[in-house]
Amino acid sequence: MGYNTPGIIKYPFWRLTQVNSNAFYACVNQGEAVVPPQLGTQAVAIDCGITQVLQALSA
């Protein structure tokens, strides 16, 4: 897969999100933020470092 978190960890979360209409999946990864297209509007890819995300949320 080439992403920082291996697919063996991501795949179950993708699957759980897909079957639960109340779930939302967020991928935060600078340079390689990718979400499966089948998750549609239940997912977001945030292409930056987690430090930037947390700083923005706390501002």
Side-chain angles (χ1 to χ4, degrees), residues 13-44:
F13 287 100
W14 293 345
R15 203 176 66 210
L16 289 169
T17 301
Q18 193 171 15
V19 298
N20 182 347
S21 62
N22 293 316
F24 191 83
Y25 179 81
C27 176
V28 179
N29 194 351
Q30 190 167 4
E32 292 186 336
V34 177
V35 295
Q38 64 267 29
L39 294 182
T41 60
Q42 282 184 268
V44 65

